Amino acid sequence: MKKRTRNIISAIALVVLLQSANAAETNFILSDSTGIKFNSGKFSEPVLKQKESLSPSIKIPFTQDGTVYFVTEAQVEHTFDATFKSSNNTLNNSITLDLPLFKATAAFDVQNTASVLASAGRFSVSDLTAVILSQSADGIFASFDSPRFTASAYAGFTGLLNARTVSFTDSAGTDLSDNTSSSPYTLADPYTLIMLSCGMPYLVFNQSLSLETLAVFGPNDGKSRIYATVGLNGPLAQSVFYSASTTLGAKNFEEFSNLSMMSVEFYPDFLNSRAVFSAEYASGNNGGLSAFTAFTKSAATLAADEPAHSAILKCGASYSLCPQDKVFCQIGSGVIFKVPGNSAEYSGIQIQGLVKYQPFTDLSISFSIESYLADKKEEDRTSATFFASLAF
């Protein structure tokens, strides 16, 4: 009897799987990136960075409305880096395999105005700032959304990720990525992430309040990291919006640090324009604070030494528009100061521009140029990058 029951259950599962497979959506993205960089103002020593990648993906819905589904994406990437000098040219040629997305998701309406969402597997996750944590991880996520209250919880693990495609740091800020391994897949350091957040949309005068706590625990790290963030966002006037956040970081509930960010966005009624004014402060060893250290490693500026979001103060502005339906243009600039102690030291200014052309939905071509003009010549960098992406 038990065997017959198992056979019936297996047959039903097979029918459901076949029906879902018939409704599956497949996609392939082929991309190419060719860039050239000149560091430290040495235009005679270019650095060539060539990258091609193929990313196949499949999405299998289990319900007619698509609210319960499974999706996965793989990636095969070839990179070729070359540094040309008057002597001792260096070359790096490698293949990387990755599985950046592998998750099951289910969404349900609780009442007419509330919904619940749950996901499990490997997917991208980000904190409120998108600076402290912004990467893929293996984990589970659940959220509740209503017009007046939102809440979410996340628990993740990094030990099965590819260390060649992710980049995060230990409590001292040391980069834990692995770009030297000859293996196409190298296991990353095992860290545990726990994040809890809640929000009150349109709390007063259409202003929204967000609260979030992120905890990072790692083996042999010696110090757990806790981040507590408060965020506000909403309209200031017609077509003018702002967002602001401040984060208190702590290592072992001591060595407190701060990351504060603010941006103001203005949407003129002209060619889908958008103007953004932004500011960021990440504490150094000043004002009784320690140097701020994020978990995900990302460059805070365009300088050649690619500084982290730590001991830095920067202000910037950008403007974008769409002169035609298929063309997007953006230009931006910023002024950067280093704040290692109780005084600010001028670091440099950066300028960047981007033109993107998308003649079809499945084809995208872009060209960008960036330059960092530093107070110290060795931090100068100028780069230009061509990127093309085709989906089929």
Side-chain angles (χ1 to χ4, degrees), residues 178-256:
D178 188 349
N179 297 318
T180 61
S181 173
S182 58
S183 172
Y185 200 107
T186 302
L187 292 179
D189 289 69
Y191 276 76
T192 300
L193 311 172
I194 298 175
M195 184 165 61
L196 302 173
S197 63
C198 66
M200 286 163 275
Y202 313 112
L203 180 63
V204 58
F205 301 115
N206 288 329
Q207 308 301 304
S208 299
L209 172 67
S210 299
L211 305 173
E212 186 175 78
T213 298
L214 169 65
V216 179
F217 307 96
N220 305 320
D221 196 347
K223 296 181 180 179
S224 59
R225 282 169 279 176
I226 305 292
Y227 304 91
T229 302
V230 178
L232 282 172
N233 67 83
L236 292 175
Q238 185 176 5
S239 302
V240 181
F241 303 85
Y242 83 98
S243 64
S245 68
T246 185
T247 300
L248 180 66
K251 301 175 184 178
N252 285 356
F253 295 99
E254 54 187 16
E255 296 184 47
F256 296 100

Side-chain angles (χ1 to χ4, degrees), residues 178-343:
D178 188 349
N179 297 318
T180 61
S181 173
S182 58
S183 172
Y185 200 107
T186 302
L187 292 179
D189 289 69
Y191 276 76
T192 300
L193 311 172
I194 298 175
M195 184 165 61
L196 302 173
S197 63
C198 66
M200 286 163 275
Y202 313 112
L203 180 63
V204 58
F205 301 115
N206 288 329
Q207 308 301 304
S208 299
L209 172 67
S210 299
L211 305 173
E212 186 175 78
T213 298
L214 169 65
V216 179
F217 307 96
N220 305 320
D221 196 347
K223 296 181 180 179
S224 59
R225 282 169 279 176
I226 305 292
Y227 304 91
T229 302
V230 178
L232 282 172
N233 67 83
L236 292 175
Q238 185 176 5
S239 302
V240 181
F241 303 85
Y242 83 98
S243 64
S245 68
T246 185
T247 300
L248 180 66
K251 301 175 184 178
N252 285 356
F253 295 99
E254 54 187 16
E255 296 184 47
F256 296 100
S257 59
N258 178 253
L259 171 70
S260 295
M261 307 173 71
M262 184 173 183
S263 67
V264 177
E265 302 180 9
F266 173 50
Y267 295 85
D269 187 16
F270 174 72
L271 297 178
N272 294 318
S273 296
R274 176 174 178 256
V276 180
F277 304 90
S278 61
E280 175 187 330
Y281 164 75
S283 64
N285 294 307
N286 46 59
L289 297 173
S290 300
F292 185 82
T293 304
F295 177 68
T296 299
K297 184 180 182 298
S298 61
T301 76
L302 303 175
D305 58 349
E306 298 182 348
H309 295 263
S310 181
I312 197 169
L313 171 65
K314 65 177 183 178
C315 301
S318 66
Y319 182 75
S320 64
L321 55 80
C322 299
Q324 295 181 0
D325 292 340
K326 301 176 181 180
V327 179
F328 172 82
C329 302
Q330 183 179 50
I331 188 170
S333 64
V335 181
I336 294 88
F337 297 87
K338 295 179 180 179
V339 286
N342 291 321
S343 60

Side-chain angles (χ1 to χ4, degrees), residues 306-382:
E306 298 182 348
H309 295 263
S310 181
I312 197 169
L313 171 65
K314 65 177 183 178
C315 301
S318 66
Y319 182 75
S320 64
L321 55 80
C322 299
Q324 295 181 0
D325 292 340
K326 301 176 181 180
V327 179
F328 172 82
C329 302
Q330 183 179 50
I331 188 170
S333 64
V335 181
I336 294 88
F337 297 87
K338 295 179 180 179
V339 286
N342 291 321
S343 60
E345 305 170 2
Y346 172 73
S347 177
I349 61 172
Q350 59 187 26
I351 303 170
Q352 55 194 129
L354 169 70
V355 177
K356 181 179 179 180
Y357 177 53
Q358 191 165 1
F360 311 104
T361 304
D362 299 332
L363 177 62
S364 176
I365 302 171
S366 65
F367 176 77
S368 62
I369 187 167
E370 302 173 338
S371 184
Y372 191 88
L373 306 175
D375 184 52
K376 299 178 180 179
K377 197 70 174 178
E378 60 270 19
E379 297 176 4
D380 281 359
R381 170 179 283 180
T382 298

Side-chain angles (χ1 to χ4, degrees), residues 114-232:
S115 63
V116 174
L117 182 145
S119 296
R122 177 174 298 180
F123 49 91
S124 181
V125 62
S126 175
D127 75 309
L128 277 174
T129 68
V131 168
I132 302 171
L133 173 65
S134 182
Q135 64 178 74
S136 294
D138 298 310
I140 55 176
F141 172 83
S143 68
F144 170 82
D145 289 279
S146 70
R148 291 298 179 182
F149 180 75
T150 65
S152 66
Y154 172 80
F157 179 69
T158 65
L160 300 177
L161 300 174
N162 190 348
R164 293 171 57 86
T165 61
V166 294
S167 182
F168 48 86
T169 68
D170 62 14
S171 60
T174 304
D175 187 1
L176 298 178
S177 61
D178 188 349
N179 297 318
T180 61
S181 173
S182 58
S183 172
Y185 200 107
T186 302
L187 292 179
D189 289 69
Y191 276 76
T192 300
L193 311 172
I194 298 175
M195 184 165 61
L196 302 173
S197 63
C198 66
M200 286 163 275
Y202 313 112
L203 180 63
V204 58
F205 301 115
N206 288 329
Q207 308 301 304
S208 299
L209 172 67
S210 299
L211 305 173
E212 186 175 78
T213 298
L214 169 65
V216 179
F217 307 96
N220 305 320
D221 196 347
K223 296 181 180 179
S224 59
R225 282 169 279 176
I226 305 292
Y227 304 91
T229 302
V230 178
L232 282 172

